[in-house]
Amino acid sequence: MATIDFHPLYLSLKIAVIASVVVFILGVFLGRVFARREFFGKSVLEAFFLLPLVLPPTVVGFGLLIIFGKNGWIGRWLLEWFHYQVVFTWIGAVIASIVVAFPLMYQSALGAFRQYDYRLENAARTMGASEWRVFWTISFPLAWPSLLSGLVLTFARALGEFGATLMLAGYLPGKTDTIPLAIYFAVESGHSEKVTFWVLVIVAIGFSGILWLNQWNRRKNKQFQSDSLEG
Amino acid sequence: MLKVAIKKRLKQFTLDVTFKMDDEIVVLFGPSGSGKTTILNALAGLVRPDEGEIVRDQEVLFQNKKVFLPTKKRNVGYLFQDYALFPHMTVEKNITYGVPKRTMPEFLQQWIQITGIQHLMKKYPNQISGGEKQRAALVRALAPQPRLLLLDEPFSALDSTNRLRCQDELQFIHRKWRVPIILVTHDEGEAIKLADRILYIEKGKIIKNKVKPKMKSQGL
């Protein structure tokens, strides 16, 4: 156990946290807009958002390579203007996690903003509330339990992301070696002790995240049920 | 003086209504789906009419494609059909939502006393009864001191005792605070009891405009 390098844990958590923050903000914004507004081309855009959910991660990774590679339209621009390359960096792993985890957060946010009566927002507007105030005092608190579920799923998905990350960031020990990649390459090289360790770590993180969420939801439900008026 | 002349194409028919009112209680009476709530929504700025105008005193709230004052600037109190109390806020927080700095001015404390909901201030909407919700929602609608009060079937979910009590309270509030009130109902008894004027609506048109000066009850 003394030979275990903890870099994959640090890197995976860093990538998952950054990706979750970006995906949460994007998902909440787009989920709110798409839950409330109708416009031309909405279905096509929604299908595009959800595409990473149904495609093999390797296909998503290949698509990202095309976009962020040296000759890709963003990759070339980044190289020319900032002399920066995303491929084979931990930023590439963040981008892969964002793209793969986004549909989960978007779906949760869409459901969250559709589940309560939109007239509550209208009631706030009639009392002089700005759109900003309506969002922060009505929409967000009412959607929060579902948004939190989405956030936990997003974090777990980002933490476990493998296929697209391997395609875009590769496996460079000490640089892009996330836990899932470390497990794969430890299996390949026959380091069973390492494999067991990282498998236990990732199971523990995933399990405690879900356990905490369930407990939180149960506490919340219990409070509402016991307070409800009977009859 | 509120002047309303609006048209809006709906799925089944075109809403086309014109009326004027002073600081009185006008009841929109008619069957479900006749466009009554759409009229309230247009007045509140929650629905945009296709054409026409809405003018309150000298203030233009809506005029064809030129003016559309957003809801937050209309100073309208709206009591929604199922009250739309914010479920995550206490009754007190609900009531003070539209008050600057979320304070509890004296006039508001009076309404709370009159409606008898002072003991509910720390409760959440899911902890109070239908009649209590109705009264809390009414006080909440009055809290920003609106210049027009819109009530969408406010008493439909109440039993007959509570309904009578709430109707009396509404008349009392109107006598104290001469603000124009537009009330939607499909209970003819309620319409006759409360209205200074009844607008009979059918398929988006006013088919009868009946002034009832002697029909006001004695109230509380």
Side-chain angles (χ1 to χ4, degrees):
Chain A
M1 229 8 102
T3 57
I4 295 283
D5 170 17
F6 282 91
H7 186 261
L9 177 64
Y10 160 73
L11 183 67
S12 286
L13 288 176
K14 181 167 84 169
I15 289 168
V17 168
I18 296 172
S20 298
V21 170
V22 174
V23 166
F24 185 74
I25 294 168
L26 269 178
V28 168
F29 172 72
L30 290 169
R32 171 88 197 288
V33 171
F34 277 65
R36 289 283 175 272
R37 289 172 198 266
E38 290 301 323
F39 53 86
F40 180 74
K42 184 178 162 183
S43 313
V44 178
L45 268 176
E46 274 197 303
F48 181 71
F49 291 163
L50 298 178
L51 205 54
L53 205 60
V54 294
L55 289 176
T58 43
V59 174
V60 176
F62 183 70
L64 290 174
L65 262 182
I66 288 178
I67 296 169
F68 289 99
K70 271 184 191 167
N71 297 315
W73 51 278
I74 295 181
R76 197 188 318 165
W77 177 79
L78 282 173
L79 203 60
E80 275 176 21
W81 287 88
F82 301 99
H83 303 290
Y84 185 76
Q85 199 178 321
V86 164
V87 181
F88 296 123
T89 65
W90 68 273
I91 296 285
V94 172
I95 292 171
S97 294
I98 288 172
V99 172
V100 171
F102 174 74
L104 293 171
M105 188 66 231
Y106 173 73
Q107 285 279 63
S108 298
L110 195 66
F113 290 117
R114 278 183 180 159
Q115 77 185 357
Y116 63 85
D117 191 346
Y118 70 93
R119 278 177 299 181
L120 295 170
E121 293 174 355
N122 282 341
R125 290 183 186 106
T126 62
M127 286 181 270
S130 62
E131 286 307 304
W132 186 250
R133 187 168 177 225
V134 169
F135 178 78
W136 284 113
T137 58
I138 309 297
S139 320
F140 192 82
L142 291 175
W144 174 240
S146 301
L147 293 178
L148 184 64
S149 300
L151 183 61
V152 171
L153 284 177
T154 299
F155 183 78
R157 185 68 191 84
L159 197 68
E161 168 39 37
F162 177 78
T165 306
L166 187 60
M167 296 284 283
L168 194 64
Y171 177 69
L172 303 174
K175 210 175 162 200
T176 62
D177 53 343
T178 62
I179 297 176
L181 295 182
I183 291 170
Y184 179 79
F185 286 99
V187 170
E188 284 279 281
S189 53
H191 291 109
S192 57
E193 208 178 63
K194 227 183 199 178
V195 174
T196 313
F197 176 77
W198 287 122
V199 165
L200 286 175
V201 167
I202 209 150
V203 167
I205 296 173
F207 185 77
S208 39
I210 293 167
L211 191 70
W212 174 79
L213 185 66
N214 283 345
Q215 293 285 344
W216 188 85
N217 274 333
R218 190 173 297 170
R219 251 200 331 267
K220 193 102 183 153
N221 287 340
K222 224 177 187 174
Q223 185 192 342
F224 263 97
Q225 279 159 11
S226 63
D227 285 350
S228 293
L229 188 83
E230 297 293 329
Chain B
M1 167 76 79
L2 178 73
K3 290 184 216 167
V4 180
I6 48 170
K7 276 188 191 176
K8 180 160 183 72
R9 273 175 295 281
L10 302 174
K11 272 183 190 161
Q12 309 285 334
F13 51 81
T14 296
L15 179 75
D16 184 357
V17 291
T18 303
F19 63 91
K20 284 180 192 175
M21 66 182 286
D22 291 313
D23 295 342
E24 54 191 333
I25 299 181
V26 167
V27 169
L28 304 182
F29 178 77
S32 295
S34 56
K36 304 185 299 289
T37 299
T38 309
I39 297 172
L40 296 194
N41 286 341
L43 289 168
L46 300 171
V47 156
R48 194 182 192 120
D50 297 328
E51 55 184 284
E53 64 174 10
I54 303 169
V55 181
R56 182 179 54 198
D57 300 326
Q58 304 304 315
E59 189 185 19
V60 180
L61 305 185
F62 169 76
Q63 195 173 54
N64 288 317
K65 290 187 169 77
K66 285 184 241 161
V67 182
F68 182 78
L69 202 65
T71 303
K72 66 170 179 168
K73 290 188 177 165
R74 292 200 179 194
N75 200 2
V76 160
Y78 198 148
L79 179 55
F80 291 81
Q81 196 174 350
D82 47 8
Y83 316 132
L85 287 169
F86 307 135
H88 58 302
M89 292 183 197
T90 60
V91 169
E92 183 176 17
K93 289 251 167 71
N94 264 281
I95 288 173
T96 55
Y97 188 86
V99 183
K101 294 179 188 167
R102 301 193 84 159
T103 52
M104 187 70 86
E106 203 174 316
F107 80 92
L108 207 48
Q109 285 173 19
Q110 277 178 13
W111 291 134
I112 289 167
Q113 293 278 333
I114 290 163
T115 49
I117 56 168
Q118 59 272 36
H119 62 292
L120 306 174
M121 288 299 110
K122 299 292 172 214
K123 297 210 172 208
Y124 285 87
N126 69 334
Q127 297 171 299
I128 63 178
S129 71
E132 291 168 338
K133 277 183 195 164
Q134 191 280 335
R135 295 203 288 280
L138 181 62
V139 174
R140 184 181 73 169
L142 292 167
Q145 295 184 275
R147 290 173 57 206
L148 171 64
L149 189 58
L150 308 171
L151 311 173
D152 192 1
E153 297 192 33
F155 313 124
S156 61
L158 305 181
D159 58 50
S160 54
T161 315
N162 264 316
R163 190 179 308 165
L164 287 174
R165 183 185 164 179
C166 288
Q167 287 169 353
D168 290 342
E169 278 169 6
L170 182 69
Q171 287 182 313
F172 180 74
I173 284 167
H174 186 244
R175 274 202 304 274
K176 281 255 181 196
W177 192 348
R178 300 298 298 185
V179 61
I181 295 177
I182 302 180
L183 183 140
V184 162
T185 183
H186 39 226
D187 178 340
E188 195 161 19
E190 187 168 283
I192 290 167
K193 178 179 176 183
L194 294 174
D196 294 311
R197 179 202 304 264
I198 305 177
L199 304 179
Y200 292 83
I201 315 262
E202 224 175 271
K203 288 185 180 166
K205 308 266 186 306
I206 297 173
I207 52 165
K208 202 159 49 165
N209 183 342
K210 209 171 179 183
V211 182
K212 298 257 180 186
K214 288 176 187 171
M215 281 212 169
K216 290 202 76 179
S217 90
Q218 295 310 302
L220 290 177

